[in-house]
């Protein structure tokens, strides 16, 4: 038999006011999710304050889920980048046509690897690797927005279990009455235990 269904709703720019959150709670939301991939401590604090006001208005307490960004490799471009099939582009650590925010990403690359951007919407094939700079051919084009995910097909860079941003988020939320912590991109039980140890401390 299945357990009771819980509704989890993300608190974001369009839903962060107390009035909107009150409507969401009235319609059945059980858990409010705060995605720490976006925003700042000040914005997260404002979201929590709005949520508490909404709870008082509706007379209902809900869970608060903190979703950690996790050690995800992302592009660090601030503007849109148009990529057409056949283009030869440069990926570099914080530089190049497609800047990438992780040195470990480059350490995992070899000639012939397929690099997928933005959840696989864009695909590149590596032609050469020189330190923290890579030449790659676009095999599936598109428009690349800022801070999109980067993965290498069939490989995992050796990334730490938590980023500095994750630690800051955990420290901020530790005494804020949070009910859930979502550990993104966990690759072993050790990663989960690391989060638990920080929360306990």
């Amino acid at each position: 038999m299945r357990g009771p269904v819980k509704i989890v709703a993300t608190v974001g720019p369009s839903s962060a006011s107390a009035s909107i959150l009150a409507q969401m709670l009235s319609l059945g939301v059980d858990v409010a999710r705060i995605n720490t991939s976006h925003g700042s401590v000040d914005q997260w604090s404002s979201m929590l304050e709005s949520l508490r006001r909404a709870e008082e208005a509706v007379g209902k307490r809900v869970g608060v889920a903190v979703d950690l960004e996790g050690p995800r490799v992302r592009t660090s471009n601030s503007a849109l980048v148009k990529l057409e099939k056949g283009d030869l582009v440069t990926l570099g650590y914080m530089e190049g046509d497609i800047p990438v925010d992780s040195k470990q990403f480059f350490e995992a690359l070899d000639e012939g690897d397929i690099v997928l951007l933005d959840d696989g919407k864009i695909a590149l094939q590596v032609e050469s690797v020189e330190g923290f700079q890579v030449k790659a051919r676009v095999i599936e084009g598109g428009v690349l927005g800022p801070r999109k995910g980067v993965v290498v097909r069939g490989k995992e860079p050796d990334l730490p279990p938590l980023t500095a941003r994750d630690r800051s988020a955990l420290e901020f939320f530790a005494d804020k009455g949070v009910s859930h912590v979502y550990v993104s991109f966990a690759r072993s039980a050790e990663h989960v235990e690391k989060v638990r140890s920080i929360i306990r401390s």
Side-chain angles (χ1 to χ4, degrees), residues 72-187:
R72 186 181 189 186
V73 179
R74 293 180 183 271
T75 64
S76 53
N77 53 302
S78 56
L80 297 176
V81 180
K82 187 175 182 180
L83 301 167
E84 296 188 357
K85 186 175 181 178
D87 285 351
L88 184 64
V89 296
T90 301
L91 291 83
Y93 175 61
M94 306 301 285
E95 62 179 9
D97 302 316
I98 304 172
V100 179
D101 66 3
S102 168
K103 288 184 176 180
Q104 290 92 337
F105 163 77
F106 294 95
E107 292 168 351
L109 284 178
D110 294 296
E111 185 178 330
D113 282 344
I114 302 297
V115 176
L116 303 174
L117 309 173
D118 192 7
D119 297 325
K121 296 182 182 74
I122 297 170
L124 317 172
Q125 185 163 30
V126 175
E127 294 196 355
S128 67
V129 181
E130 294 184 14
F132 299 125
Q133 194 169 87
V134 166
K135 295 289 186 184
R137 188 74 60 181
V138 178
I139 56 178
E140 190 66 46
V143 177
L144 180 67
R147 287 189 53 74
K148 295 301 182 181
V150 183
V151 298
V152 186
R153 184 182 290 166
K155 290 185 176 181
E156 284 190 6
D158 184 19
L159 300 173
L162 293 171
T163 65
R165 185 179 179 86
D166 293 333
R167 289 175 179 274
S168 295
L170 284 172
E171 289 170 4
F172 171 74
F173 284 107
D175 62 351
K176 299 295 191 296
V178 168
S179 53
H180 305 75
V181 175
Y182 298 161
V183 184
S184 299
F185 305 104
R187 299 184 303 283

